[in-house]
Amino acid sequence: MHAPPRGLVYAIYYTALAVIAVPVNRVAIVILSRGNCGLSRCISRYLVSMAATDLLVILTAVILNRIPAIYFPGSFLSITPVCSFSIAVINAARDSSVWLTVTFTFDRYVTICCQKLKAKYCTHRTAGIVVSTVCTLACVINIPWYFEHEPVYVVNNVPWYCKRRDIRSSVLLWTIFHWTNRVLNPCLPFLLILSFNALTVRHILVASRARRRLRSCSSGERQSDPEMESRRKSIILLFAISGCFILLWMPYVVQFFVFQLAYTINGYNDPRFILMESANMFQMLSCCTNTFIYAVTQNKFRKELKVLMKIPLKFARSLAK
């Protein structure tokens, strides 16, 4: 891990991100878990899991990593075993969040484009198995991060801070691990989401033209199409989530390829450090956008949100009486 960011901009940004992201993800989990948003149980399970992993990313990467490094340097969180464990958990949470977005995109692709597979795959039970498998694999794959680091220095037999071991570039297993890790995130998820969305758009365009021709021939006049309207809402939700993910992860992908050419960073004013930290800031911002997407695209989610917001007001009124 590179040196922690310092400065007023980083302090304000990460503090604001934590203040906003934690409650909005908790609200999303509560509302979606109640099942009153008009979404299938399959979609709800994916969305709840995505909100939970996004919340975990904020808790580990922002609240337990970035903010302490800015406000409380040298705390117990900087002890090497704690620091190494934190790095492994952050990567596991981030990978879980990313790959759940991929599985959600694939689930919507199957629902829209693969009618024969839809009945077997797009179920609440299958969604639970997929979510559990993704999170388990993310934890297992990121275990090596714990063993990759060594202390920067030792004071009174206490190891402090984390730096990557020098052997990581000379040992083949570490090289394989790093490239596998980078392929699994962000390269492969990025390509898969783009591919599934492209195939979905192609199928929608072909099916829509065929359906319009069929309905015009059978009825001879324009009528509302409930199936197309339902499909349209599902597509808006899919494209809003995956589009926002691609947009906010693009800087991270760019900096990944940049650092394959030159990795050395010389201080906080180095353009490469600014690029890396900006990419991290955008990437972490993606962990609090889905709730706002639900509020914009889903009428029933907005209604449930209003009901949830009235609960504290009712409680305050009851105490005032």
Side-chain angles (χ1 to χ4, degrees), residues 53 103 120 136 145 153 166 169-170 211 219 240 244 262 273 292-293:
T53 52
T103 56
K120 295 182 179 180
T136 301
W145 282 111
Y153 51 81
D166 294 333
S169 59
S170 59
R211 190 169 180 84
S219 63
C244 187
F273 175 84
F292 297 103
I293 291 173

Side-chain angles (χ1 to χ4, degrees), residues 245-277:
F245 172 85
I246 291 171
L247 181 65
L248 293 176
W249 273 80
M250 182 68 74
Y252 191 88
V253 175
V254 171
Q255 69 90 21
F256 163 73
F257 287 107
V258 169
F259 274 80
Q260 302 312 307
L261 303 176
Y263 184 82
T264 304
I265 295 176
N266 299 314
Y268 297 121
N269 295 322
D270 191 321
R272 285 165 293 187
F273 175 84
I274 296 173
L275 173 62
M276 173 182 281
E277 195 56 40

Side-chain angles (χ1 to χ4, degrees), residues 102-148:
V102 175
T103 56
F104 169 74
T105 306
F106 178 71
D107 179 87
R108 295 300 86 202
Y109 162 75
V110 172
T111 300
I112 296 171
C113 304
C114 308
Q115 295 301 312
K116 293 183 179 180
L117 183 59
K118 174 182 176 181
K120 295 182 179 180
Y121 182 81
C122 301
T123 63
H124 184 255
R125 181 175 180 274
T126 301
I129 294 174
V130 171
V131 169
S132 301
T133 302
V134 166
C135 294
T136 301
L137 289 176
C139 293
V140 172
I141 290 172
N142 285 286
I143 289 177
W145 282 111
Y146 179 82
F147 302 98
E148 191 194 29

Side-chain angles (χ1 to χ4, degrees), residues 47 64 66 95 108 123 128 154 249 261 274 314 317:
L47 297 184
L64 295 179
R66 287 294 195 269
D95 288 356
R108 295 300 86 202
T123 63
V154 178
W249 273 80
L261 303 176
I274 296 173
K314 292 180 179 179
R317 289 174 182 173

Side-chain angles (χ1 to χ4, degrees), residues 17-38:
L17 182 62
V19 169
I20 295 172
V22 171
V24 298
N25 279 301
R26 291 182 63 183
V27 165
I29 293 171
V30 171
I31 292 177
L32 293 169
S33 298
R34 296 171 66 179
N36 297 327
C37 296

